[in-house]
Amino acid sequence: MALSCFTSALLRIGGRAPQKIVFAKNTGREFMLDFHPAFDGKGATEFSEPVPFRLTRNLHAFFTPFGVKGDFVAAMAAAAQACSAPGTNLEAQLLLFFRDQLTVWPWRRMSSSSGNSSGASLLGPSPAEIRRMARANVDEVLKRLPCVAPTPPRQNAPPHEQFASVQKGVLHLVDAAVNPKNLARMEPTWAAWL
């Protein structure tokens, strides 16, 4: 669940309603259905939800506060650290992911909503435009990653920095996800009470 939440926050994948989350009874594994970002008219990821991922009161109670601030945060921070480590091929994987997502995005609906009725616009963007949009989305993800990844304190840092949590980016995301005000701002179909 922590890895799914990390991916949802990093790639700005919203709409994590209960009907899109499936648990295997025999293994306990979690499967996410309909797991893709929403794009605006320019092909950029569009995220309008006040919570970065699904961690409702019931999930928080199930994991217990110690589990959330312990294993859950540690797993998210470890994933962030692994993704930001030198030598990873995260950028290439993200380029493939966004290129594929932009290729299958329903361009007809977007072009018809903009009022453009020319036949060429119904074909969607060119491969070069898709690559440009994918690159812009990857750059945005790579800008967000250092904000979440653990940062060890600097040597000779002031005392308030030396004792700050290395997982402060993940803790900030968790605090936003469990904030009752943010949960109350979600759509009713999101079922924040589950």
Side-chain angles (χ1 to χ4, degrees), residues 49-121:
E49 293 181 349
V51 295
F53 49 83
R54 185 174 191 87
L55 186 60
T56 58
R57 291 180 308 188
N58 285 352
L59 288 171
H60 191 270
F62 177 71
F63 293 148
T64 72
F66 296 109
V68 171
K69 297 288 183 176
D71 293 340
F72 189 83
V73 167
M76 285 183 71
Q81 186 175 13
C83 288
S84 63
T88 62
N89 60 355
L90 178 67
E91 187 174 351
Q93 296 294 328
L94 288 172
L95 276 170
L96 287 172
F97 173 76
F98 281 115
R99 186 207 62 192
D100 289 349
Q101 291 297 318
L102 287 164
T103 301
V104 299
W105 184 250
W107 291 104
R108 290 179 184 238
R109 182 176 63 107
M110 288 184 5
S111 62
S112 66
S113 67
S114 66
N116 192 351
S117 60
S118 67
S121 67

Side-chain angles (χ1 to χ4, degrees), residues 4-192:
S4 170
C5 291
F6 168 72
T7 306
S8 295
L10 189 65
L11 300 179
R12 291 190 172 177
I13 296 174
R16 300 292 83 221
Q19 64 268 21
K20 295 180 182 179
I21 302 171
V22 180
F23 291 96
K25 288 182 180 179
N26 58 348
T27 63
R29 289 185 180 170
E30 174 192 18
F31 299 97
M32 301 297 259
L33 307 174
D34 196 26
F35 196 75
H36 58 82
F39 296 106
D40 64 7
K42 297 178 183 177
T45 52
E46 182 177 60
F47 190 75
S48 60
E49 293 181 349
V51 295
F53 49 83
R54 185 174 191 87
L55 186 60
T56 58
R57 291 180 308 188
N58 285 352
L59 288 171
H60 191 270
F62 177 71
F63 293 148
T64 72
F66 296 109
V68 171
K69 297 288 183 176
D71 293 340
F72 189 83
V73 167
M76 285 183 71
Q81 186 175 13
C83 288
S84 63
T88 62
N89 60 355
L90 178 67
E91 187 174 351
Q93 296 294 328
L94 288 172
L95 276 170
L96 287 172
F97 173 76
F98 281 115
R99 186 207 62 192
D100 289 349
Q101 291 297 318
L102 287 164
T103 301
V104 299
W105 184 250
W107 291 104
R108 290 179 184 238
R109 182 176 63 107
M110 288 184 5
S111 62
S112 66
S113 67
S114 66
N116 192 351
S117 60
S118 67
S121 67
L122 294 177
L123 299 176
S126 68
E129 290 172 323
I130 289 176
R131 282 193 297 274
R132 181 189 54 76
M133 289 184 277
R135 168 53 59 193
N137 285 317
V138 169
D139 291 343
E140 284 298 315
V141 169
L142 294 177
K143 283 181 194 174
R144 282 192 301 275
L145 185 59
C147 298
V148 180
T151 53
R154 297 176 298 152
Q155 290 182 354
N156 301 328
H160 69 279
E161 280 187 29
Q162 287 179 349
F163 299 111
S165 174
V166 297
Q167 301 167 338
K168 62 185 170 189
V170 175
L171 289 170
H172 177 70
L173 287 176
V174 169
D175 289 341
V178 299
N179 187 339
K181 290 181 180 180
N182 289 345
L183 291 171
R185 291 174 42 208
M186 294 300 293
E187 298 176 16
T189 56
W190 195 75

